[in-house]
Structures are given as C-alpha cells and as structure tokens.
Amino acid sequence: MTQEAGATAKSPPMLKFSHIGLVATDVDMMARFYVDVLGFAITDQGDFGDLKVVFMSRDPEDHHQIVLTNGRPVHLPRNTINPKFGPVIQQISFKMPSLADLRDMKNRLEASGATEITAATHGNAWSVYAHDPEGNYIEFFVDTDWYADQPFYVPLDLNKSDEEIIRETEDMCRSSPGFKSIRQWRVDIAKVMPPPFPE
Ligand SMILES: [Fe+2]
C-alpha cells in the first residue's frame, strides 16, 4: 500500500494488546513461578495432543494474559547484544500502581531465588527487572508523571524514600532532552496513533 492510499484508507479497527504466549521447557515449574511469585491464577489448563497448555491471568476481564506451552528448544542461542534479554522476546512487562508495590515485588523476586534482579528509572517509569526461571526478561514498572526522550536508563536505588526517588526523577527528567509532562506526551502521541483508542 502506498503512503497516499494508506492516508485515505479507513482507520484500522480498535486494537488493545491482550496477552502473550511463552514456550517453556518445564511448563509446570514456570507456572509455579508465575502463580507463587507474580500472583497469577491458572484459569484453564490441559493437553492438546502433545501440547501442554496453561492459561494464566491476573484480571477477571481477561481469560488469559500469559499462555505457557511446552516445546522450547533445549539450546536456544543467546541474544547477541545483551545476554540478559531474550533471543526473541526482549521483555515481558507488568504495570504496578506504586513504588511500594515495586519494592514489594523486588522482595518477592529476591525471596524466590530469581536472578538478574536490577532496578532503573526510565524517567517516564521506575522499573525492576529479573529473569523468570527459564531466563525470560521480566519487568515490573510504575509510571511517573513525566516524559523524557527514550531510551533513558539510570540505575535506581529503591532503598531511598518515595519522596527522594520522585524528586530525583523529576529533576533528571526536567534536565533531559524532550522533557514534558506525561499528560502532554499523551496528548501529543495520540495525534500519530489511529483512533479509536481502548477504553
Ligand atoms: Fe519496558
């Protein structure tokens, strides 16, 4: 389709991202981690021939947010840029309401024996990262009130108080290229996304 044809075509129908399917070596062990550490509920599970399928969700509105199936090749090559990232799925990310929740999740990950646990501010979000038991890179994040050009990565010390973290992050954002309030960023970015937007 040419640019001109695309511009005059009807907007695509509304889409909202919903779930991801992960192929695992040990589906039961992976499901235990997502249930015990992340609080997912198994909403359905069963076999489909040789395929073992586990559906999980943390929202009654969504039958599944993560699907686990078996069949992961034993020797997957590593990501060639950063071995912390997956070779195909770079990250799987979960939104949280507050810095207190983010600290709580970091503690839960540490208690679970999860590896590669780090914390960072991205200006527009505070994040905790870890590997799940099969090395998928998972992220937990809290939105901030500000935006600065991305990528933006500064290590985050969650032992600091909320007040200190918020003040330092706002200062960093205000002195970074592209700074604007997240409210303004949303108004601006909406102009380049085809409506309608998810409710
Ligand atoms: Fe992310």
Side-chain angles (χ1 to χ4, degrees), residues 114-138:
T115 58
E116 302 289 355
I117 301 171
T118 55
T121 176
H122 297 293
N124 63 350
W126 296 291
S127 299
V128 164
Y129 295 93
H131 273 177
D132 76 7
E134 294 198 355
N136 299 295
Y137 197 48
I138 52 177

mmCIF file with all atom_site columns, all heavy atoms in Angstrom, residues 114-138:
data_model
loop_
_atom_site.group_PDB
_atom_site.id
_atom_site.type_symbol
_atom_site.label_atom_id
_atom_site.label_alt_id
_atom_site.label_comp_id
_atom_site.label_asym_id
_atom_site.label_entity_id
_atom_site.label_seq_id
_atom_site.pdbx_PDB_ins_code
_atom_site.Cartn_x
_atom_site.Cartn_y
_atom_site.Cartn_z
_atom_site.occupancy
_atom_site.B_iso_or_equiv
_atom_site.pdbx_formal_charge
_atom_site.auth_seq_id
_atom_site.auth_comp_id
_atom_site.auth_asym_id
_atom_site.auth_atom_id
_atom_site.pdbx_PDB_model_num
ATOM 1   N N   . ALA A 1 114 ? 14.920 -15.666 42.211 1.00 0.00 ? 114 ALA A N   1
ATOM 2   C CA  . ALA A 1 114 ? 15.043 -15.149 40.839 1.00 0.00 ? 114 ALA A CA  1
ATOM 3   C C   . ALA A 1 114 ? 16.403 -14.477 40.678 1.00 0.00 ? 114 ALA A C   1
ATOM 4   O O   . ALA A 1 114 ? 16.958 -13.935 41.639 1.00 0.00 ? 114 ALA A O   1
ATOM 5   C CB  . ALA A 1 114 ? 13.921 -14.155 40.537 1.00 0.00 ? 114 ALA A CB  1
ATOM 6   N N   . THR A 1 115 ? 16.921 -14.487 39.465 1.00 0.00 ? 115 THR A N   1
ATOM 7   C CA  . THR A 1 115 ? 18.260 -13.938 39.215 1.00 0.00 ? 115 THR A CA  1
ATOM 8   C C   . THR A 1 115 ? 18.174 -12.690 38.341 1.00 0.00 ? 115 THR A C   1
ATOM 9   O O   . THR A 1 115 ? 17.113 -12.367 37.799 1.00 0.00 ? 115 THR A O   1
ATOM 10  C CB  . THR A 1 115 ? 19.161 -14.981 38.523 1.00 0.00 ? 115 THR A CB  1
ATOM 11  O OG1 . THR A 1 115 ? 18.528 -15.372 37.297 1.00 0.00 ? 115 THR A OG1 1
ATOM 12  C CG2 . THR A 1 115 ? 19.371 -16.190 39.404 1.00 0.00 ? 115 THR A CG2 1
ATOM 13  N N   . GLU A 1 116 ? 19.329 -12.017 38.217 1.00 0.00 ? 116 GLU A N   1
ATOM 14  C CA  . GLU A 1 116 ? 19.458 -10.821 37.363 1.00 0.00 ? 116 GLU A CA  1
ATOM 15  C C   . GLU A 1 116 ? 18.482 -9.719  37.786 1.00 0.00 ? 116 GLU A C   1
ATOM 16  O O   . GLU A 1 116 ? 17.892 -9.039  36.932 1.00 0.00 ? 116 GLU A O   1
ATOM 17  C CB  . GLU A 1 116 ? 19.250 -11.174 35.879 1.00 0.00 ? 116 GLU A CB  1
ATOM 18  C CG  . GLU A 1 116 ? 20.198 -12.226 35.339 1.00 0.00 ? 116 GLU A CG  1
ATOM 19  C CD  . GLU A 1 116 ? 21.633 -11.735 35.193 1.00 0.00 ? 116 GLU A CD  1
ATOM 20  O OE1 . GLU A 1 116 ? 21.906 -10.537 35.413 1.00 0.00 ? 116 GLU A OE1 1
ATOM 21  O OE2 . GLU A 1 116 ? 22.486 -12.574 34.874 1.00 0.00 ? 116 GLU A OE2 1
ATOM 22  N N   . ILE A 1 117 ? 18.312 -9.539  39.114 1.00 0.00 ? 117 ILE A N   1
ATOM 23  C CA  . ILE A 1 117 ? 17.366 -8.521  39.596 1.00 0.00 ? 117 ILE A CA  1
ATOM 24  C C   . ILE A 1 117 ? 18.066 -7.156  39.597 1.00 0.00 ? 117 ILE A C   1
ATOM 25  O O   . ILE A 1 117 ? 19.123 -6.996  40.213 1.00 0.00 ? 117 ILE A O   1
ATOM 26  C CB  . ILE A 1 117 ? 16.860 -8.874  41.011 1.00 0.00 ? 117 ILE A CB  1
ATOM 27  C CG1 . ILE A 1 117 ? 16.165 -10.236 40.997 1.00 0.00 ? 117 ILE A CG1 1
ATOM 28  C CG2 . ILE A 1 117 ? 15.916 -7.783  41.528 1.00 0.00 ? 117 ILE A CG2 1
ATOM 29  C CD1 . ILE A 1 117 ? 15.824 -10.779 42.373 1.00 0.00 ? 117 ILE A CD1 1
ATOM 30  N N   . THR A 1 118 ? 17.487 -6.213  38.899 1.00 0.00 ? 118 THR A N   1
ATOM 31  C CA  . THR A 1 118 ? 18.033 -4.854  38.848 1.00 0.00 ? 118 THR A CA  1
ATOM 32  C C   . THR A 1 118 ? 16.868 -3.864  38.912 1.00 0.00 ? 118 THR A C   1
ATOM 33  O O   . THR A 1 118 ? 15.708 -4.241  38.714 1.00 0.00 ? 118 THR A O   1
ATOM 34  C CB  . THR A 1 118 ? 18.829 -4.596  37.547 1.00 0.00 ? 118 THR A CB  1
ATOM 35  O OG1 . THR A 1 118 ? 17.978 -4.888  36.432 1.00 0.00 ? 118 THR A OG1 1
ATOM 36  C CG2 . THR A 1 118 ? 20.080 -5.456  37.462 1.00 0.00 ? 118 THR A CG2 1
ATOM 37  N N   . ALA A 1 119 ? 17.205 -2.592  39.203 1.00 0.00 ? 119 ALA A N   1
ATOM 38  C CA  . ALA A 1 119 ? 16.172 -1.549  39.229 1.00 0.00 ? 119 ALA A CA  1
ATOM 39  C C   . ALA A 1 119 ? 16.702 -0.336  38.478 1.00 0.00 ? 119 ALA A C   1
ATOM 40  O O   . ALA A 1 119 ? 17.902 -0.038  38.516 1.00 0.00 ? 119 ALA A O   1
ATOM 41  C CB  . ALA A 1 119 ? 15.812 -1.187  40.658 1.00 0.00 ? 119 ALA A CB  1
ATOM 42  N N   . ALA A 1 120 ? 15.804 0.352   37.800 1.00 0.00 ? 120 ALA A N   1
ATOM 43  C CA  . ALA A 1 120 ? 16.217 1.503   36.990 1.00 0.00 ? 120 ALA A CA  1
ATOM 44  C C   . ALA A 1 120 ? 15.085 2.514   36.919 1.00 0.00 ? 120 ALA A C   1
ATOM 45  O O   . ALA A 1 120 ? 13.914 2.171   37.084 1.00 0.00 ? 120 ALA A O   1
ATOM 46  C CB  . ALA A 1 120 ? 16.564 1.047   35.568 1.00 0.00 ? 120 ALA A CB  1
ATOM 47  N N   . THR A 1 121 ? 15.468 3.778   36.685 1.00 0.00 ? 121 THR A N   1
ATOM 48  C CA  . THR A 1 121 ? 14.453 4.747   36.275 1.00 0.00 ? 121 THR A CA  1
ATOM 49  C C   . THR A 1 121 ? 14.638 5.026   34.789 1.00 0.00 ? 121 THR A C   1
ATOM 50  O O   . THR A 1 121 ? 15.756 5.114   34.290 1.00 0.00 ? 121 THR A O   1
ATOM 51  C CB  . THR A 1 121 ? 14.498 6.059   37.080 1.00 0.00 ? 121 THR A CB  1
ATOM 52  O OG1 . THR A 1 121 ? 13.523 6.945   36.521 1.00 0.00 ? 121 THR A OG1 1
ATOM 53  C CG2 . THR A 1 121 ? 15.864 6.718   37.057 1.00 0.00 ? 121 THR A CG2 1
ATOM 54  N N   . HIS A 1 122 ? 13.499 5.103   34.119 1.00 0.00 ? 122 HIS A N   1
ATOM 55  C CA  . HIS A 1 122 ? 13.489 5.465   32.699 1.00 0.00 ? 122 HIS A CA  1
ATOM 56  C C   . HIS A 1 122 ? 12.936 6.877   32.508 1.00 0.00 ? 122 HIS A C   1
ATOM 57  O O   . HIS A 1 122 ? 12.572 7.246   31.397 1.00 0.00 ? 122 HIS A O   1
ATOM 58  C CB  . HIS A 1 122 ? 12.638 4.476   31.903 1.00 0.00 ? 122 HIS A CB  1
ATOM 59  C CG  . HIS A 1 122 ? 13.172 3.070   31.941 1.00 0.00 ? 122 HIS A CG  1
ATOM 60  N ND1 . HIS A 1 122 ? 14.365 2.716   31.349 1.00 0.00 ? 122 HIS A ND1 1
ATOM 61  C CD2 . HIS A 1 122 ? 12.686 1.952   32.518 1.00 0.00 ? 122 HIS A CD2 1
ATOM 62  C CE1 . HIS A 1 122 ? 14.574 1.423   31.551 1.00 0.00 ? 122 HIS A CE1 1
ATOM 63  N NE2 . HIS A 1 122 ? 13.576 0.939   32.266 1.00 0.00 ? 122 HIS A NE2 1
ATOM 64  N N   . GLY A 1 123 ? 12.826 7.612   33.599 1.00 0.00 ? 123 GLY A N   1
ATOM 65  C CA  . GLY A 1 123 ? 12.243 8.942   33.504 1.00 0.00 ? 123 GLY A CA  1
ATOM 66  C C   . GLY A 1 123 ? 10.724 8.864   33.524 1.00 0.00 ? 123 GLY A C   1
ATOM 67  O O   . GLY A 1 123 ? 10.084 9.346   34.451 1.00 0.00 ? 123 GLY A O   1
ATOM 68  N N   . ASN A 1 124 ? 10.162 8.198   32.532 1.00 0.00 ? 124 ASN A N   1
ATOM 69  C CA  . ASN A 1 124 ? 8.701  8.054   32.492 1.00 0.00 ? 124 ASN A CA  1
ATOM 70  C C   . ASN A 1 124 ? 8.217  6.846   33.284 1.00 0.00 ? 124 ASN A C   1
ATOM 71  O O   . ASN A 1 124 ? 7.015  6.614   33.394 1.00 0.00 ? 124 ASN A O   1
ATOM 72  C CB  . ASN A 1 124 ? 8.196  7.982   31.043 1.00 0.00 ? 124 ASN A CB  1
ATOM 73  C CG  . ASN A 1 124 ? 8.721  6.777   30.303 1.00 0.00 ? 124 ASN A CG  1
ATOM 74  O OD1 . ASN A 1 124 ? 9.614  6.077   30.789 1.00 0.00 ? 124 ASN A OD1 1
ATOM 75  N ND2 . ASN A 1 124 ? 8.191  6.525   29.124 1.00 0.00 ? 124 ASN A ND2 1
ATOM 76  N N   . ALA A 1 125 ? 9.157  6.050   33.830 1.00 0.00 ? 125 ALA A N   1
ATOM 77  C CA  . ALA A 1 125 ? 8.769  4.884   34.616 1.00 0.00 ? 125 ALA A CA  1
ATOM 78  C C   . ALA A 1 125 ? 9.913  4.476   35.540 1.00 0.00 ? 125 ALA A C   1
ATOM 79  O O   . ALA A 1 125 ? 11.084 4.740   35.248 1.00 0.00 ? 125 ALA A O   1
ATOM 80  C CB  . ALA A 1 125 ? 8.403  3.711   33.696 1.00 0.00 ? 125 ALA A CB  1
ATOM 81  N N   . TRP A 1 126 ? 9.539  3.856   36.673 1.00 0.00 ? 126 TRP A N   1
ATOM 82  C CA  . TRP A 1 126 ? 10.518 3.191   37.538 1.00 0.00 ? 126 TRP A CA  1
ATOM 83  C C   . TRP A 1 126 ? 10.337 1.688   37.344 1.00 0.00 ? 126 TRP A C   1
ATOM 84  O O   . TRP A 1 126 ? 9.206  1.187   37.370 1.00 0.00 ? 126 TRP A O   1
ATOM 85  C CB  . TRP A 1 126 ? 10.259 3.540   39.000 1.00 0.00 ? 126 TRP A CB  1
ATOM 86  C CG  . TRP A 1 126 ? 10.437 4.994   39.309 1.00 0.00 ? 126 TRP A CG  1
ATOM 87  C CD1 . TRP A 1 126 ? 11.612 5.691   39.309 1.00 0.00 ? 126 TRP A CD1 1
ATOM 88  C CD2 . TRP A 1 126 ? 9.419  5.930   39.675 1.00 0.00 ? 126 TRP A CD2 1
ATOM 89  N NE1 . TRP A 1 126 ? 11.377 7.001   39.655 1.00 0.00 ? 126 TRP A NE1 1
ATOM 90  C CE2 . TRP A 1 126 ? 10.058 7.176   39.880 1.00 0.00 ? 126 TRP A CE2 1
ATOM 91  C CE3 . TRP A 1 126 ? 8.035  5.841   39.855 1.00 0.00 ? 126 TRP A CE3 1
ATOM 92  C CZ2 . TRP A 1 126 ? 9.345  8.321   40.257 1.00 0.00 ? 126 TRP A CZ2 1
ATOM 93  C CZ3 . TRP A 1 126 ? 7.325  6.974   40.222 1.00 0.00 ? 126 TRP A CZ3 1
ATOM 94  C CH2 . TRP A 1 126 ? 7.979  8.197   40.421 1.00 0.00 ? 126 TRP A CH2 1
ATOM 95  N N   . SER A 1 127 ? 11.447 0.969   37.184 1.00 0.00 ? 127 SER A N   1
ATOM 96  C CA  . SER A 1 127 ? 11.351 -0.439  36.795 1.00 0.00 ? 127 SER A CA  1
ATOM 97  C C   . SER A 1 127 ? 12.217 -1.342  37.655 1.00 0.00 ? 127 SER A C   1
ATOM 98  O O   . SER A 1 127 ? 13.299 -0.949  38.089 1.00 0.00 ? 127 SER A O   1
ATOM 99  C CB  . SER A 1 127 ? 11.810 -0.618  35.342 1.00 0.00 ? 127 SER A CB  1
ATOM 100 O OG  . SER A 1 127 ? 11.000 0.126   34.468 1.00 0.00 ? 127 SER A OG  1
ATOM 101 N N   . VAL A 1 128 ? 11.716 -2.545  37.865 1.00 0.00 ? 128 VAL A N   1
ATOM 102 C CA  . VAL A 1 128 ? 12.514 -3.640  38.427 1.00 0.00 ? 128 VAL A CA  1
ATOM 103 C C   . VAL A 1 128 ? 12.528 -4.740  37.374 1.00 0.00 ? 128 VAL A C   1
ATOM 104 O O   . VAL A 1 128 ? 11.484 -5.048  36.769 1.00 0.00 ? 128 VAL A O   1
ATOM 105 C CB  . VAL A 1 128 ? 11.908 -4.153  39.748 1.00 0.00 ? 128 VAL A CB  1
ATOM 106 C CG1 . VAL A 1 128 ? 12.493 -5.515  40.130 1.00 0.00 ? 128 VAL A CG1 1
ATOM 107 C CG2 . VAL A 1 128 ? 12.132 -3.144  40.870 1.00 0.00 ? 128 VAL A CG2 1
ATOM 108 N N   . TYR A 1 129 ? 13.707 -5.293  37.146 1.00 0.00 ? 129 TYR A N   1
ATOM 109 C CA  . TYR A 1 129 ? 13.876 -6.357  36.143 1.00 0.00 ? 129 TYR A CA  1
ATOM 110 C C   . TYR A 1 129 ? 14.372 -7.625  36.810 1.00 0.00 ? 129 TYR A C   1
ATOM 111 O O   . TYR A 1 129 ? 15.062 -7.572  37.834 1.00 0.00 ? 129 TYR A O   1
ATOM 112 C CB  . TYR A 1 129 ? 14.905 -5.953  35.085 1.00 0.00 ? 129 TYR A CB  1
ATOM 113 C CG  . TYR A 1 129 ? 14.504 -4.778  34.237 1.00 0.00 ? 129 TYR A CG  1
ATOM 114 C CD1 . TYR A 1 129 ? 14.889 -3.488  34.582 1.00 0.00 ? 129 TYR A CD1 1
ATOM 115 C CD2 . TYR A 1 129 ? 13.755 -4.957  33.087 1.00 0.00 ? 129 TYR A CD2 1
ATOM 116 C CE1 . TYR A 1 129 ? 14.522 -2.395  33.804 1.00 0.00 ? 129 TYR A CE1 1
ATOM 117 C CE2 . TYR A 1 129 ? 13.386 -3.874  32.296 1.00 0.00 ? 129 TYR A CE2 1
ATOM 118 C CZ  . TYR A 1 129 ? 13.777 -2.602  32.661 1.00 0.00 ? 129 TYR A CZ  1
ATOM 119 O OH  . TYR A 1 129 ? 13.410 -1.533  31.889 1.00 0.00 ? 129 TYR A OH  1
ATOM 120 N N   . ALA A 1 130 ? 14.039 -8.754  36.228 1.00 0.00 ? 130 ALA A N   1
ATOM 121 C CA  . ALA A 1 130 ? 14.565 -10.041 36.705 1.00 0.00 ? 130 ALA A CA  1
ATOM 122 C C   . ALA A 1 130 ? 14.419 -11.059 35.584 1.00 0.00 ? 130 ALA A C   1
ATOM 123 O O   . ALA A 1 130 ? 13.750 -10.804 34.571 1.00 0.00 ? 130 ALA A O   1
ATOM 124 C CB  . ALA A 1 130 ? 13.793 -10.512 37.936 1.00 0.00 ? 130 ALA A CB  1
ATOM 125 N N   . HIS A 1 131 ? 15.049 -12.201 35.781 1.00 0.00 ? 131 HIS A N   1
ATOM 126 C CA  . HIS A 1 131 ? 14.806 -13.344 34.907 1.00 0.00 ? 131 HIS A CA  1
ATOM 127 C C   . HIS A 1 131 ? 13.768 -14.250 35.551 1.00 0.00 ? 131 HIS A C   1
ATOM 128 O O   . HIS A 1 131 ? 13.800 -14.465 36.759 1.00 0.00 ? 131 HIS A O   1
ATOM 129 C CB  . HIS A 1 131 ? 16.096 -14.159 34.719 1.00 0.00 ? 131 HIS A CB  1
ATOM 130 C CG  . HIS A 1 131 ? 16.945 -13.657 33.599 1.00 0.00 ? 131 HIS A CG  1
ATOM 131 N ND1 . HIS A 1 131 ? 18.167 -14.205 33.293 1.00 0.00 ? 131 HIS A ND1 1
ATOM 132 C CD2 . HIS A 1 131 ? 16.745 -12.659 32.691 1.00 0.00 ? 131 HIS A CD2 1
ATOM 133 C CE1 . HIS A 1 131 ? 18.673 -13.565 32.254 1.00 0.00 ? 131 HIS A CE1 1
ATOM 134 N NE2 . HIS A 1 131 ? 17.843 -12.627 31.877 1.00 0.00 ? 131 HIS A NE2 1
ATOM 135 N N   . ASP A 1 132 ? 12.848 -14.770 34.749 1.00 0.00 ? 132 ASP A N   1
ATOM 136 C CA  . ASP A 1 132 ? 11.983 -15.830 35.271 1.00 0.00 ? 132 ASP A CA  1
ATOM 137 C C   . ASP A 1 132 ? 12.804 -17.129 35.242 1.00 0.00 ? 132 ASP A C   1
ATOM 138 O O   . ASP A 1 132 ? 13.981 -17.108 34.828 1.00 0.00 ? 132 ASP A O   1
ATOM 139 C CB  . ASP A 1 132 ? 10.646 -15.885 34.499 1.00 0.00 ? 132 ASP A CB  1
ATOM 140 C CG  . ASP A 1 132 ? 10.740 -16.526 33.122 1.00 0.00 ? 132 ASP A CG  1
ATOM 141 O OD1 . ASP A 1 132 ? 11.810 -17.074 32.767 1.00 0.00 ? 132 ASP A OD1 1
ATOM 142 O OD2 . ASP A 1 132 ? 9.734  -16.483 32.396 1.00 0.00 ? 132 ASP A OD2 1
ATOM 143 N N   . PRO A 1 133 ? 12.254 -18.260 35.716 1.00 0.00 ? 133 PRO A N   1
ATOM 144 C CA  . PRO A 1 133 ? 13.093 -19.470 35.848 1.00 0.00 ? 133 PRO A CA  1
ATOM 145 C C   . PRO A 1 133 ? 13.711 -19.974 34.541 1.00 0.00 ? 133 PRO A C   1
ATOM 146 O O   . PRO A 1 133 ? 14.677 -20.722 34.564 1.00 0.00 ? 133 PRO A O   1
ATOM 147 C CB  . PRO A 1 133 ? 12.124 -20.501 36.427 1.00 0.00 ? 133 PRO A CB  1
ATOM 148 C CG  . PRO A 1 133 ? 11.073 -19.711 37.109 1.00 0.00 ? 133 PRO A CG  1
ATOM 149 C CD  . PRO A 1 133 ? 10.920 -18.456 36.307 1.00 0.00 ? 133 PRO A CD  1
ATOM 150 N N   . GLU A 1 134 ? 13.168 -19.577 33.394 1.00 0.00 ? 134 GLU A N   1
ATOM 151 C CA  . GLU A 1 134 ? 13.767 -20.016 32.125 1.00 0.00 ? 134 GLU A CA  1
ATOM 152 C C   . GLU A 1 134 ? 14.477 -18.875 31.405 1.00 0.00 ? 134 GLU A C   1
ATOM 153 O O   . GLU A 1 134 ? 14.751 -18.951 30.200 1.00 0.00 ? 134 GLU A O   1
ATOM 154 C CB  . GLU A 1 134 ? 12.710 -20.697 31.243 1.00 0.00 ? 134 GLU A CB  1
ATOM 155 C CG  . GLU A 1 134 ? 12.226 -22.005 31.895 1.00 0.00 ? 134 GLU A CG  1
ATOM 156 C CD  . GLU A 1 134 ? 11.521 -22.951 30.943 1.00 0.00 ? 134 GLU A CD  1
ATOM 157 O OE1 . GLU A 1 134 ? 11.305 -22.593 29.770 1.00 0.00 ? 134 GLU A OE1 1
ATOM 158 O OE2 . GLU A 1 134 ? 11.190 -24.058 31.408 1.00 0.00 ? 134 GLU A OE2 1
ATOM 159 N N   . GLY A 1 135 ? 14.766 -17.795 32.153 1.00 0.00 ? 135 GLY A N   1
ATOM 160 C CA  . GLY A 1 135 ? 15.605 -16.744 31.602 1.00 0.00 ? 135 GLY A CA  1
ATOM 161 C C   . GLY A 1 135 ? 14.882 -15.706 30.768 1.00 0.00 ? 135 GLY A C   1
ATOM 162 O O   . GLY A 1 135 ? 15.516 -14.888 30.115 1.00 0.00 ? 135 GLY A O   1
ATOM 163 N N   . ASN A 1 136 ? 13.547 -15.723 30.783 1.00 0.00 ? 136 ASN A N   1
ATOM 164 C CA  . ASN A 1 136 ? 12.820 -14.625 30.122 1.00 0.00 ? 136 ASN A CA  1
ATOM 165 C C   . ASN A 1 136 ? 12.992 -13.361 30.961 1.00 0.00 ? 136 ASN A C   1
ATOM 166 O O   . ASN A 1 136 ? 12.929 -13.412 32.192 1.00 0.00 ? 136 ASN A O   1
ATOM 167 C CB  . ASN A 1 136 ? 11.324 -14.962 29.997 1.00 0.00 ? 136 ASN A CB  1
ATOM 168 C CG  . ASN A 1 136 ? 11.080 -16.199 29.167 1.00 0.00 ? 136 ASN A CG  1
ATOM 169 O OD1 . ASN A 1 136 ? 11.367 -16.223 27.980 1.00 0.00 ? 136 ASN A OD1 1
ATOM 170 N ND2 . ASN A 1 136 ? 10.568 -17.253 29.802 1.00 0.00 ? 136 ASN A ND2 1
ATOM 171 N N   . TYR A 1 137 ? 13.191 -12.240 30.292 1.00 0.00 ? 137 TYR A N   1
ATOM 172 C CA  . TYR A 1 137 ? 13.470 -10.972 30.971 1.00 0.00 ? 137 TYR A CA  1
ATOM 173 C C   . TYR A 1 137 ? 12.133 -10.327 31.327 1.00 0.00 ? 137 TYR A C   1
ATOM 174 O O   . TYR A 1 137 ? 11.369 -9.913  30.440 1.00 0.00 ? 137 TYR A O   1
ATOM 175 C CB  . TYR A 1 137 ? 14.252 -10.090 30.007 1.00 0.00 ? 137 TYR A CB  1
ATOM 176 C CG  . TYR A 1 137 ? 14.985 -8.918  30.595 1.00 0.00 ? 137 TYR A CG  1
ATOM 177 C CD1 . TYR A 1 137 ? 15.795 -9.054  31.713 1.00 0.00 ? 137 TYR A CD1 1
ATOM 178 C CD2 . TYR A 1 137 ? 14.887 -7.665  30.003 1.00 0.00 ? 137 TYR A CD2 1
ATOM 179 C CE1 . TYR A 1 137 ? 16.493 -7.976  32.222 1.00 0.00 ? 137 TYR A CE1 1
ATOM 180 C CE2 . TYR A 1 137 ? 15.589 -6.577  30.508 1.00 0.00 ? 137 TYR A CE2 1
ATOM 181 C CZ  . TYR A 1 137 ? 16.389 -6.745  31.622 1.00 0.00 ? 137 TYR A CZ  1
ATOM 182 O OH  . TYR A 1 137 ? 17.083 -5.676  32.122 1.00 0.00 ? 137 TYR A OH  1
ATOM 183 N N   . ILE A 1 138 ? 11.810 -10.276 32.628 1.00 0.00 ? 138 ILE A N   1
ATOM 184 C CA  . ILE A 1 138 ? 10.523 -9.714  33.047 1.00 0.00 ? 138 ILE A CA  1
ATOM 185 C C   . ILE A 1 138 ? 10.761 -8.374  33.729 1.00 0.00 ? 138 ILE A C   1
ATOM 186 O O   . ILE A 1 138 ? 11.782 -8.163  34.384 1.00 0.00 ? 138 ILE A O   1
ATOM 187 C CB  . ILE A 1 138 ? 9.732  -10.688 33.957 1.00 0.00 ? 138 ILE A CB  1
ATOM 188 C CG1 . ILE A 1 138 ? 10.576 -11.183 35.134 1.00 0.00 ? 138 ILE A CG1 1
ATOM 189 C CG2 . ILE A 1 138 ? 9.215  -11.859 33.147 1.00 0.00 ? 138 ILE A CG2 1
ATOM 190 C CD1 . ILE A 1 138 ? 9.811  -12.090 36.083 1.00 0.00 ? 138 ILE A CD1 1
#
